[in-house]
Amino acid sequence: MNESKAIKIIKQEMGWESKSSTLRAFEEAIKALEEVQQYRAISTTEECRAAMGKQTAKRPRIMGNAMICPSCPRCFKSASPTYCPSCGQMIDWGNEE
Ligand SMILES: [Zn+2]
């Protein structure tokens, strides 16, 4: 059961309930559930955005003869990994067809 389903059931039950204190308790429960839904939606979007950002290949920064990860201070001297071993950023080494 997710929050939307719980809210739906509570609202159905509210139709049968006539005691005002119980109705108020139901209303509070719905409010709390709706807040949880909002927080969940926000965190999912942020996690998704962070993951998507690192899946887009970025050019490494060049400092002398060292290549540096565009997302963290990790330095690649000779190896050219597809993903940064420190932060998971995908690296564009500029050798694609
Ligand atoms: Zn990195």
Side-chain angles (χ1 to χ4, degrees):
M1 158 136 20
N2 59 23
E3 291 86 12
S4 316
K5 220 166 178 186
I7 290 169
K8 210 175 152 194
I9 291 168
I10 292 170
K11 281 183 176 166
Q12 281 169 356
E13 289 303 309
M14 280 172 85
W16 297 101
E17 186 57 59
S18 54
K19 216 169 148 192
S20 64
S21 60
T22 311
L23 282 170
R24 263 208 305 277
F26 280 149
E27 276 165 19
E28 287 304 311
I30 289 172
K31 250 191 259 169
L33 285 166
E34 282 172 346
E35 265 172 48
V36 170
Q37 275 184 314
Q38 280 167 9
Y39 286 129
R40 193 165 293 174
I42 292 165
S43 69
T44 310
T45 317
E46 278 172 3
E47 278 164 25
C48 190
R49 204 176 293 141
M52 290 291 283
K54 284 181 179 169
Q55 273 167 16
T56 308
K58 284 187 192 161
R59 304 283 299 175
R61 289 177 286 156
I62 298 159
M63 300 260 287
N65 58 0
M67 305 285 219
I68 296 156
C69 173
S71 294
C72 75
R74 177 83 185 205
C75 173
F76 311 109
K77 278 182 184 126
S78 51
S80 49
T82 310
Y83 294 95
C84 169
S86 295
C87 72
Q89 170 66 55
M90 193 176 179
I91 312 293
D92 174 13
W93 295 101
N95 51 9
E96 72 268 33
E97 312 283 289

Coordinates of all heavy atoms in Angstrom, one line a residue:
M1 N 0.8 -1.2 0.0 CA 0.0 0.0 0.0 C 0.9 1.2 0.0 O 1.8 1.3 0.8 CB -0.9 -0.1 1.2 CG -1.4 1.3 1.6 SD -3.2 1.4 2.1 CE -3.7 -0.2 2.5
N2 N 0.6 2.2 -0.9 CA 1.3 3.4 -0.9 C 0.4 4.5 -0.3 O -0.7 4.3 0.1 CB 1.8 3.8 -2.3 CG 0.7 3.9 -3.3 OD1 -0.5 4.2 -2.9 ND2 1.0 3.8 -4.5
E3 N 1.0 5.8 -0.2 CA 0.3 6.8 0.5 C -1.0 7.2 -0.2 O -2.0 7.4 0.4 CB 1.2 8.1 0.5 CG 2.3 8.0 1.5 CD 3.5 7.4 0.8 OE1 3.5 7.3 -0.4 OE2 4.5 7.0 1.5
S4 N -1.0 7.2 -1.6 CA -2.2 7.6 -2.3 C -3.4 6.6 -2.0 O -4.5 7.1 -1.8 CB -2.0 7.5 -3.8 OG -0.8 8.1 -4.1
K5 N -3.0 5.3 -1.9 CA -4.0 4.3 -1.6 C -4.6 4.5 -0.2 O -5.8 4.4 0.0 CB -3.4 2.9 -1.8 CG -4.4 2.0 -2.5 CD -3.7 0.8 -2.9 CE -4.6 -0.2 -3.6 NZ -4.0 -1.5 -3.9
A6 N -3.7 4.8 0.7 CA -4.1 5.0 2.1 C -5.0 6.2 2.2 O -6.0 6.2 2.9 CB -2.8 5.2 3.0
I7 N -4.7 7.3 1.5 CA -5.5 8.5 1.5 C -6.9 8.2 1.0 O -7.9 8.6 1.6 CB -4.8 9.6 0.7 CG1 -3.6 10.1 1.5 CG2 -5.8 10.8 0.5 CD1 -2.7 11.1 0.7
K8 N -6.9 7.4 -0.1 CA -8.2 7.1 -0.7 C -9.1 6.3 0.3 O -10.3 6.6 0.4 CB -7.9 6.2 -2.0 CG -9.0 6.4 -3.1 CD -8.6 5.6 -4.3 CE -9.8 5.2 -5.1 NZ -9.5 4.2 -6.1
I9 N -8.5 5.3 1.0 CA -9.2 4.5 1.9 C -9.7 5.4 3.1 O -10.9 5.3 3.5 CB -8.4 3.3 2.4 CG1 -8.2 2.3 1.2 CG2 -9.0 2.6 3.6 CD1 -7.1 1.3 1.5
I10 N -8.8 6.3 3.6 CA -9.2 7.1 4.7 C -10.4 8.0 4.3 O -11.3 8.2 5.0 CB -8.0 8.0 5.2 CG1 -6.9 7.1 5.8 CG2 -8.5 9.1 6.2 CD1 -5.6 7.8 6.1
K11 N -10.3 8.6 3.1 CA -11.4 9.4 2.6 C -12.7 8.7 2.5 O -13.8 9.2 2.8 CB -11.0 10.1 1.2 CG -10.1 11.3 1.4 CD -9.8 12.0 0.1 CE -8.9 13.2 0.4 NZ -8.3 13.7 -0.8
Q12 N -12.6 7.4 2.1 CA -13.8 6.6 2.0 C -14.4 6.4 3.4 O -15.6 6.5 3.6 CB -13.5 5.2 1.4 CG -13.4 5.3 -0.2 CD -12.8 4.0 -0.7 OE1 -12.4 3.1 0.0 NE2 -12.7 3.9 -2.0
E13 N -13.5 6.1 4.3 CA -14.0 5.9 5.7 C -14.6 7.2 6.3 O -15.5 7.1 7.1 CB -12.8 5.4 6.6 CG -12.4 4.0 6.3 CD -13.5 3.0 6.4 OE1 -14.2 3.0 7.4 OE2 -13.7 2.2 5.4
M14 N -14.0 8.3 5.9 CA -14.6 9.6 6.4 C -16.0 9.8 6.0 O -16.8 10.4 6.8 CB -13.7 10.8 5.8 CG -12.4 11.0 6.6 SD -11.4 12.2 5.7 CE -12.1 13.7 6.5
G15 N -16.4 9.2 4.9 CA -17.8 9.3 4.4 C -18.8 8.6 5.4 O -19.9 9.0 5.5
W16 N -18.3 7.6 6.1 CA -19.1 6.8 7.1 C -19.0 7.4 8.5 O -19.9 7.1 9.3 CB -18.6 5.4 7.1 CG -18.8 4.7 5.8 CD1 -17.8 4.5 4.9 CD2 -20.0 4.2 5.2 NE1 -18.3 3.8 3.8 CE2 -19.6 3.6 3.9 CE3 -21.3 4.1 5.6 CZ2 -20.6 3.0 3.1 CZ3 -22.3 3.5 4.8 CH2 -21.9 3.0 3.5
E17 N -18.0 8.2 8.7 CA -17.8 8.7 10.1 C -18.5 10.0 10.4 O -18.5 10.9 9.5 CB -16.2 8.9 10.2 CG -15.8 9.2 11.6 CD -16.2 8.2 12.7 OE1 -15.8 7.0 12.5 OE2 -16.9 8.6 13.6
S18 N -19.2 10.1 11.5 CA -19.9 11.3 11.8 C -19.3 12.0 13.0 O -19.6 13.2 13.2 CB -21.4 11.0 12.1 OG -21.5 10.0 13.1
K19 N -18.5 11.3 13.8 CA -17.9 11.9 15.0 C -16.8 13.0 14.5 O -15.9 12.6 13.8 CB -17.3 10.8 15.8 CG -17.4 11.1 17.3 CD -17.0 9.8 18.0 CE -16.3 10.1 19.3 NZ -15.7 9.0 19.9
S20 N -17.0 14.2 15.0 CA -16.1 15.3 14.5 C -14.7 15.1 14.9 O -13.8 15.4 14.2 CB -16.6 16.6 14.9 OG -16.6 16.8 16.3
S21 N -14.5 14.5 16.1 CA -13.1 14.4 16.6 C -12.4 13.3 15.7 O -11.2 13.4 15.4 CB -13.0 14.0 18.1 OG -13.7 12.8 18.3
T22 N -13.1 12.2 15.4 CA -12.5 11.2 14.5 C -12.3 11.8 13.1 O -11.2 11.5 12.5 CB -13.5 10.0 14.4 OG1 -13.9 9.6 15.7 CG2 -12.9 8.8 13.8
L23 N -13.2 12.6 12.6 CA -13.0 13.2 11.3 C -11.7 14.1 11.3 O -11.0 14.1 10.3 CB -14.2 14.0 10.9 CG -15.4 13.2 10.4 CD1 -16.6 14.1 10.3 CD2 -15.1 12.5 9.0
R24 N -11.5 14.8 12.4 CA -10.3 15.7 12.5 C -9.1 14.8 12.5 O -8.1 15.1 11.8 CB -10.4 16.5 13.7 CG -10.9 17.9 13.5 CD -10.4 18.9 14.4 NE -10.6 18.6 15.8 CZ -11.8 18.8 16.5 NH1 -12.8 19.4 15.9 NH2 -11.9 18.4 17.7
A25 N -9.1 13.7 13.2 CA -8.0 12.8 13.2 C -7.7 12.2 11.8 O -6.5 12.2 11.3 CB -8.2 11.6 14.2
F26 N -8.7 11.9 11.0 CA -8.5 11.4 9.7 C -7.9 12.5 8.8 O -7.0 12.3 8.0 CB -9.9 11.0 9.1 CG -10.4 9.7 9.4 CD1 -11.8 9.4 9.5 CD2 -9.5 8.6 9.7 CE1 -12.2 8.1 9.9 CE2 -10.0 7.3 10.0 CZ -11.3 7.1 10.1
E27 N -8.4 13.7 9.0 CA -7.9 14.9 8.2 C -6.4 15.1 8.5 O -5.6 15.3 7.5 CB -8.6 16.2 8.5 CG -9.9 16.3 7.7 CD -10.8 17.4 8.3 OE1 -10.4 18.2 9.0 OE2 -12.0 17.3 7.9
E28 N -6.0 14.9 9.8 CA -4.6 15.1 10.1 C -3.8 14.0 9.5 O -2.6 14.2 9.0 CB -4.4 15.0 11.6 CG -4.9 16.3 12.3 CD -4.2 17.6 11.8 OE1 -3.0 17.6 11.7 OE2 -4.9 18.5 11.5
A29 N -4.3 12.8 9.5 CA -3.6 11.6 8.9 C -3.4 11.9 7.4 O -2.3 11.6 6.8 CB -4.4 10.4 9.1
I30 N -4.4 12.4 6.7 CA -4.3 12.7 5.3 C -3.2 13.7 5.0 O -2.4 13.6 4.1 CB -5.6 13.1 4.7 CG1 -6.6 11.9 4.6 CG2 -5.5 13.7 3.3 CD1 -8.0 12.3 4.2
K31 N -3.2 14.8 5.9 CA -2.2 15.9 5.7 C -0.8 15.3 5.8 O 0.1 15.6 5.1 CB -2.4 16.9 6.8 CG -3.0 18.3 6.2 CD -2.9 19.4 7.3 CE -4.3 19.6 7.9 NZ -4.3 20.5 9.1
A32 N -0.6 14.4 6.9 CA 0.7 13.9 7.1 C 1.1 13.0 5.9 O 2.3 13.0 5.5 CB 0.7 13.0 8.4
L33 N 0.2 12.2 5.4 CA 0.5 11.3 4.3 C 0.9 12.1 3.0 O 1.8 11.8 2.3 CB -0.7 10.4 4.0 CG -0.9 9.3 4.9 CD1 -2.3 8.6 4.8 CD2 0.2 8.2 4.7
E34 N 0.1 13.3 2.8 CA 0.4 14.1 1.7 C 1.8 14.7 1.8 O 2.5 14.9 0.8 CB -0.6 15.2 1.5 CG -1.9 14.6 0.9 CD -3.1 15.6 0.9 OE1 -3.1 16.6 1.6 OE2 -4.1 15.3 0.2
E35 N 2.2 15.1 3.0 CA 3.6 15.6 3.2 C 4.6 14.6 2.8 O 5.6 14.9 2.2 CB 3.8 16.1 4.7 CG 3.5 17.6 4.8 CD 3.5 18.0 6.3 OE1 4.4 17.6 7.0 OE2 2.5 18.6 6.7
V36 N 4.4 13.4 3.3 CA 5.4 12.3 3.0 C 5.5 12.1 1.5 O 6.6 12.0 1.0 CB 4.9 10.9 3.7 CG1 5.7 9.8 3.2 CG2 5.0 11.0 5.2
Q37 N 4.3 12.2 0.8 CA 4.4 12.0 -0.7 C 5.2 13.1 -1.3 O 6.0 12.8 -2.2 CB 2.9 12.2 -1.2 CG 2.1 10.9 -1.2 CD 0.8 11.1 -1.8 OE1 0.1 12.1 -1.6 NE2 0.4 10.2 -2.7
Q38 N 5.1 14.4 -0.8 CA 5.8 15.5 -1.4 C 7.3 15.3 -1.2 O 8.1 15.5 -2.1 CB 5.4 16.8 -0.8 CG 4.1 17.3 -1.4 CD 3.4 18.4 -0.6 OE1 4.0 19.0 0.3 NE2 2.2 18.8 -1.0
Y39 N 7.7 14.9 0.1 CA 9.1 14.7 0.4 C 9.7 13.6 -0.5 O 10.8 13.7 -1.0 CB 9.3 14.4 1.9 CG 9.2 15.5 2.8 CD1 8.3 15.4 3.9 CD2 9.8 16.7 2.6 CE1 8.2 16.5 4.8 CE2 9.7 17.8 3.4 CZ 8.8 17.7 4.5 OH 8.7 18.8 5.4
R40 N 8.9 12.6 -0.6 CA 9.4 11.4 -1.5 C 9.6 11.9 -2.9 O 10.6 11.5 -3.5 CB 8.4 10.3 -1.4 CG 9.0 9.0 -1.9 CD 8.1 7.8 -1.5 NE 8.2 7.6 0.0 CZ 7.5 6.7 0.6 NH1 6.6 6.0 -0.1 NH2 7.6 6.5 1.9
A41 N 8.7 12.7 -3.4 CA 8.8 13.1 -4.8 C 10.0 14.0 -5.0 O 10.8 13.9 -6.0 CB 7.5 13.9 -5.2
I42 N 10.3 14.9 -4.0 CA 11.5 15.8 -4.1 C 12.8 15.0 -4.1 O 13.6 15.1 -4.9 CB 11.4 16.8 -2.9 CG1 10.3 17.8 -3.1 CG2 12.8 17.6 -2.9 CD1 10.0 18.6 -1.9
S43 N 12.9 14.0 -3.1 CA 14.2 13.3 -3.0 C 14.4 12.4 -4.2 O 15.5 12.3 -4.6 CB 14.2 12.5 -1.7 OG 13.3 11.5 -1.7
T44 N 13.3 11.8 -4.8 CA 13.5 11.0 -5.9 C 14.0 11.9 -7.1 O 14.9 11.5 -7.8 CB 12.2 10.4 -6.3 OG1 11.6 9.8 -5.2 CG2 12.4 9.3 -7.4
T45 N 13.5 13.1 -7.3 CA 13.9 13.9 -8.4 C 15.4 14.3 -8.2 O 16.1 14.3 -9.2 CB 13.0 15.2 -8.4 OG1 11.7 14.8 -8.2 CG2 13.1 15.9 -9.7
E46 N 15.8 14.7 -6.9 CA 17.1 15.1 -6.7 C 18.1 13.9 -7.0 O 19.2 14.1 -7.6 CB 17.3 15.6 -5.3 CG 16.8 17.1 -5.3 CD 16.8 17.6 -3.9 OE1 17.2 16.9 -2.9 OE2 16.4 18.8 -3.7
E47 N 17.8 12.8 -6.4 CA 18.7 11.6 -6.6 C 18.8 11.3 -8.1 O 19.9 11.1 -8.6 CB 18.1 10.4 -6.0 CG 18.4 10.3 -4.5 CD 17.5 9.3 -3.8 OE1 17.0 8.4 -4.4 OE2 17.3 9.5 -2.6
C48 N 17.7 11.4 -8.8 CA 17.7 11.1 -10.2 C 18.6 12.1 -11.0 O 19.4 11.8 -11.8 CB 16.2 11.2 -10.8 SG 16.0 10.6 -12.4
R49 N 18.4 13.4 -10.6 CA 19.2 14.5 -11.3 C 20.7 14.3 -11.1 O 21.5 14.4 -12.0 CB 18.7 15.8 -10.8 CG 19.0 17.0 -11.7 CD 18.4 18.3 -11.2 NE 17.0 18.3 -11.1 CZ 16.3 18.9 -10.1 NH1 16.9 19.4 -9.1 NH2 15.0 18.9 -10.1
A50 N 21.0 13.9 -9.8 CA 22.5 13.7 -9.5 C 23.0 12.5 -10.3 O 24.1 12.6 -10.9 CB 22.6 13.4 -8.0
A51 N 22.3 11.5 -10.4 CA 22.7 10.3 -11.2 C 22.8 10.6 -12.6 O 23.8 10.2 -13.3 CB 21.8 9.1 -10.9
M52 N 21.8 11.3 -13.2 CA 21.8 11.7 -14.6 C 23.0 12.6 -14.9 O 23.6 12.4 -16.0 CB 20.6 12.4 -14.9 CG 19.3 11.6 -14.9 SD 19.2 10.4 -16.2 CE 18.8 11.5 -17.6
G53 N 23.4 13.5 -14.0 CA 24.5 14.4 -14.3 C 25.8 13.7 -14.5 O 26.6 14.0 -15.3
K54 N 26.0 12.6 -13.7 CA 27.2 11.9 -13.8 C 27.3 10.9 -14.9 O 28.3 10.4 -15.3 CB 27.5 11.1 -12.5 CG 28.0 12.1 -11.4 CD 28.3 11.5 -10.1 CE 28.8 12.6 -9.2 NZ 28.9 12.1 -7.8
Q55 N 26.1 10.6 -15.5 CA 26.1 9.7 -16.7 C 26.3 10.5 -18.0 O 26.4 9.9 -19.0 CB 24.7 9.0 -16.7 CG 24.8 7.7 -15.9 CD 23.5 7.1 -15.6 OE1 22.5 7.4 -16.3 NE2 23.4 6.2 -14.6
T56 N 26.3 11.8 -17.9 CA 26.6 12.6 -19.1 C 28.1 12.8 -19.0 O 28.7 13.3 -18.1 CB 25.9 13.9 -19.0 OG1 24.5 13.7 -18.8 CG2 26.1 14.7 -20.3
A57 N 28.8 12.3 -20.1 CA 30.3 12.4 -20.1 C 30.7 13.8 -20.1 O 30.2 14.7 -20.9 CB 30.8 11.6 -21.3
K58 N 31.7 14.1 -19.3 CA 32.3 15.5 -19.3 C 33.8 15.4 -19.6 O 34.4 14.4 -19.2 CB 32.1 16.1 -17.9 CG 30.6 16.6 -17.6 CD 30.6 17.3 -16.3 CE 29.2 17.6 -15.9 NZ 29.1 17.9 -14.5
R59 N 34.3 16.4 -20.2 CA 35.7 16.5 -20.5 C 36.5 16.7 -19.2 O 36.1 17.5 -18.4 CB 36.0 17.7 -21.4 CG 35.2 17.7 -22.7 CD 35.7 16.7 -23.7 NE 37.1 17.1 -24.1 CZ 37.8 16.3 -24.9 NH1 37.3 15.2 -25.5 NH2 39.0 16.7 -25.3
P60 N 37.6 16.0 -19.0 CA 38.4 16.2 -17.8 C 39.1 17.6 -17.9 O 39.3 18.1 -19.0 CB 39.4 15.1 -17.9 CG 39.5 14.7 -19.3 CD 38.2 15.0 -19.9
R61 N 39.4 18.1 -16.7 CA 40.1 19.4 -16.7 C 41.6 19.0 -16.9 O 42.1 18.0 -16.4 CB 39.9 20.1 -15.4 CG 38.5 20.6 -15.2 CD 38.3 21.3 -13.9 NE 38.2 20.2 -12.9 CZ 38.4 20.4 -11.6 NH1 38.8 21.5 -11.1 NH2 38.2 19.4 -10.7
I62 N 42.3 19.8 -17.6 CA 43.7 19.5 -17.9 C 44.6 20.5 -17.1 O 44.4 21.7 -17.2 CB 44.0 19.6 -19.4 CG1 43.2 18.5 -20.1 CG2 45.5 19.4 -19.6 CD1 43.0 18.7 -21.5
M63 N 45.5 20.0 -16.3 CA 46.4 20.8 -15.5 C 47.8 20.3 -15.8 O 48.2 19.2 -15.3 CB 46.1 20.6 -14.0 CG 44.8 21.1 -13.6 SD 44.7 22.7 -12.9 CE 45.4 22.5 -11.3
G64 N 48.5 20.9 -16.6 CA 49.9 20.5 -17.1 C 49.7 19.2 -17.8 O 49.0 19.1 -18.8
N65 N 50.3 18.1 -17.3 CA 50.2 16.8 -17.9 C 49.3 15.9 -17.2 O 49.2 14.7 -17.4 CB 51.6 16.1 -18.2 CG 52.3 15.9 -16.9 OD1 51.9 16.3 -15.8 ND2 53.5 15.4 -17.0
A66 N 48.5 16.5 -16.2 CA 47.5 15.7 -15.5 C 46.1 16.0 -15.9 O 45.8 17.1 -16.3 CB 47.7 15.9 -14.0
M67 N 45.3 15.0 -15.9 CA 43.8 15.1 -16.2 C 43.1 15.0 -14.9 O 43.4 14.1 -14.1 CB 43.3 14.0 -17.1 CG 44.1 13.9 -18.4 SD 43.7 15.2 -19.5 CE 43.8 14.2 -21.0
I68 N 42.2 16.0 -14.7 CA 41.4 16.0 -13.4 C 40.0 15.8 -13.7 O 39.4 16.4 -14.6 CB 41.7 17.3 -12.6 CG1 43.2 17.3 -12.2 CG2 40.8 17.4 -11.4 CD1 43.8 18.6 -12.0
C69 N 39.3 14.9 -12.8 CA 37.9 14.7 -12.9 C 37.1 16.0 -12.9 O 37.4 16.9 -12.1 CB 37.5 13.8 -11.8 SG 35.7 13.6 -11.7
P70 N 36.1 16.2 -13.8 CA 35.4 17.4 -13.8 C 34.4 17.6 -12.6 O 34.0 18.7 -12.4 CB 34.6 17.3 -15.1 CG 34.5 15.9 -15.5 CD 35.8 15.3 -14.9
S71 N 34.2 16.5 -11.9 CA 33.3 16.6 -10.8 C 33.9 16.5 -9.4 O 33.3 16.8 -8.4 CB 32.2 15.5 -10.9 OG 31.4 15.7 -12.0
C72 N 35.2 16.1 -9.3 CA 35.8 16.0 -8.0 C 37.3 16.2 -8.2 O 37.8 16.2 -9.3 CB 35.5 14.6 -7.3 SG 36.4 13.2 -8.0
P73 N 38.1 16.3 -7.2 CA 39.5 16.6 -7.4 C 40.4 15.4 -7.8 O 41.6 15.5 -7.8 CB 40.0 17.1 -6.0 CG 38.8 17.2 -5.1 CD 37.8 16.2 -5.7
R74 N 39.8 14.3 -8.1 CA 40.5 13.1 -8.5 C 41.4 13.3 -9.8 O 40.9 13.9 -10.8 CB 39.6 11.9 -8.8 CG 40.2 10.7 -9.3 CD 40.7 9.8 -8.2 NE 41.4 8.7 -8.7 CZ 41.5 7.5 -8.0 NH1 41.0 7.4 -6.8 NH2 42.2 6.5 -8.5
C75 N 42.7 12.9 -9.7 CA 43.6 13.2 -10.8 C 43.9 11.9 -11.5 O 44.1 10.8 -10.8 CB 44.9 13.8 -10.1 SG 46.2 13.9 -11.3
F76 N 43.8 11.9 -12.8 CA 44.2 10.7 -13.6 C 45.5 11.0 -14.3 O 45.6 11.9 -15.1 CB 43.2 10.4 -14.7 CG 41.7 10.5 -14.2 CD1 40.9 11.5 -14.6 CD2 41.2 9.5 -13.4 CE1 39.6 11.6 -14.1 CE2 39.9 9.5 -13.0 CZ 39.1 10.6 -13.4
K77 N 46.5 10.2 -13.9 CA 47.8 10.5 -14.5 C 48.0 9.7 -15.8 O 48.3 10.3 -16.9 CB 49.0 10.2 -13.5 CG 49.1 11.4 -12.6 CD 50.2 11.2 -11.6 CE 50.3 12.4 -10.7 NZ 50.3 12.0 -9.3
S78 N 47.9 8.4 -15.8 CA 48.1 7.7 -17.0 C 46.9 6.9 -17.4 O 46.6 6.9 -18.6 CB 49.3 6.7 -16.9 OG 49.1 5.9 -15.7
A79 N 46.1 6.4 -16.5 CA 44.9 5.7 -16.8 C 43.8 6.6 -17.3 O 43.8 7.8 -17.0 CB 44.4 5.0 -15.6
S80 N 43.0 6.1 -18.2 CA 41.8 6.9 -18.6 C 40.6 6.1 -18.5 O 40.0 5.6 -19.4 CB 42.0 7.4 -20.1 OG 42.4 6.3 -20.9
P81 N 40.1 6.0 -17.2 CA 38.9 5.2 -17.0 C 37.6 5.9 -17.6 O 37.6 7.1 -17.7 CB 38.8 5.2 -15.4 CG 39.5 6.4 -15.0 CD 40.6 6.7 -16.0
T82 N 36.7 5.0 -17.9 CA 35.4 5.6 -18.4 C 34.7 6.3 -17.4 O 34.1 7.4 -17.6 CB 34.5 4.4 -18.9 OG1 35.3 3.6 -19.8 CG2 33.3 4.9 -19.7
Y83 N 34.7 5.8 -16.1 CA 34.1 6.4 -15.0 C 35.1 6.8 -13.9 O 36.1 6.0 -13.7 CB 33.0 5.5 -14.3 CG 31.9 5.2 -15.2 CD1 31.8 4.1 -16.0 CD2 30.8 6.1 -15.3 CE1 30.8 3.8 -16.9 CE2 29.7 5.9 -16.1 CZ 29.7 4.7 -16.9 OH 28.6 4.5 -17.8
C84 N 35.0 7.9 -13.3 CA 35.9 8.3 -12.2 C 35.7 7.3 -11.1 O 34.6 7.1 -10.7 CB 35.5 9.7 -11.8 SG 36.4 10.2 -10.2
P85 N 36.8 6.7 -10.6 CA 36.7 5.7 -9.5 C 36.3 6.4 -8.2 O 35.9 5.7 -7.3 CB 38.1 5.1 -9.4 CG 39.0 6.0 -10.2 CD 38.2 6.8 -11.1
S86 N 36.5 7.7 -8.1 CA 36.1 8.4 -6.8 C 34.7 8.7 -6.7 O 34.0 8.5 -5.7 CB 37.0 9.6 -6.6 OG 38.3 9.3 -6.5
C87 N 34.1 9.4 -7.8 CA 32.8 9.9 -7.7 C 31.8 9.3 -8.7 O 30.6 9.6 -8.7 CB 32.8 11.4 -7.8 SG 33.1 12.0 -9.5
G88 N 32.3 8.5 -9.7 CA 31.4 7.9 -10.6 C 31.1 8.7 -11.8 O 30.3 8.4 -12.7
Q89 N 31.7 9.9 -11.9 CA 31.5 10.8 -13.1 C 32.0 10.1 -14.4 O 33.1 9.6 -14.4 CB 32.2 12.1 -12.9 CG 32.2 13.0 -14.1 CD 30.9 13.5 -14.5 OE1 30.2 14.1 -13.7 NE2 30.5 13.3 -15.7
M90 N 31.1 10.1 -15.4 CA 31.5 9.6 -16.7 C 32.5 10.6 -17.4 O 32.2 11.8 -17.4 CB 30.3 9.3 -17.6 CG 30.6 8.5 -18.8 SD 29.1 8.1 -19.7 CE 29.8 7.2 -21.0
I91 N 33.6 10.1 -17.9 CA 34.6 11.0 -18.4 C 34.6 10.9 -19.9 O 34.7 9.8 -20.5 CB 36.0 10.7 -17.9 CG1 36.0 10.5 -16.4 CG2 37.0 11.7 -18.3 CD1 35.8 11.7 -15.6
D92 N 34.6 12.0 -20.6 CA 34.7 12.1 -22.0 C 36.2 12.3 -22.4 O 36.7 13.4 -22.2 CB 33.8 13.2 -22.5 CG 34.0 13.5 -24.0 OD1 34.6 12.6 -24.7 OD2 33.5 14.5 -24.5
W93 N 36.9 11.3 -22.9 CA 38.3 11.4 -23.3 C 38.5 11.9 -24.7 O 39.6 12.0 -25.2 CB 39.0 10.1 -23.0 CG 39.0 9.7 -21.6 CD1 38.2 8.8 -21.0 CD2 39.8 10.2 -20.6 NE1 38.4 8.7 -19.6 CE2 39.4 9.6 -19.4 CE3 40.8 11.2 -20.5 CZ2 40.0 9.9 -18.1 CZ3 41.4 11.5 -19.3 CH2 41.0 10.8 -18.1
G94 N 37.4 12.2 -25.3 CA 37.5 12.8 -26.7 C 38.0 11.8 -27.7 O 38.5 12.3 -28.7
N95 N 37.8 10.5 -27.5 CA 38.3 9.6 -28.5 C 37.2 8.8 -29.2 O 37.4 7.7 -29.7 CB 39.4 8.6 -27.9 CG 38.9 8.0 -26.6 OD1 37.7 8.1 -26.3 ND2 39.8 7.3 -25.9
E96 N 36.0 9.3 -29.1 CA 34.8 8.7 -29.7 C 34.9 8.9 -31.2 O 35.5 9.8 -31.7 CB 33.5 9.1 -29.1 CG 33.0 10.5 -29.5 CD 33.5 11.6 -28.4 OE1 34.6 11.4 -27.8 OE2 32.8 12.5 -28.3
E97 N 34.2 8.0 -32.0 CA 34.2 8.1 -33.4 C 33.7 9.4 -33.9 O 32.6 9.8 -33.5 CB 33.4 7.0 -34.0 CG 33.7 5.6 -33.4 CD 34.9 5.0 -33.9 OE1 35.0 4.6 -35.1 OE2 35.9 4.9 -33.2
Ligands
ZN1 ZN 35.4 12.2 -9.8

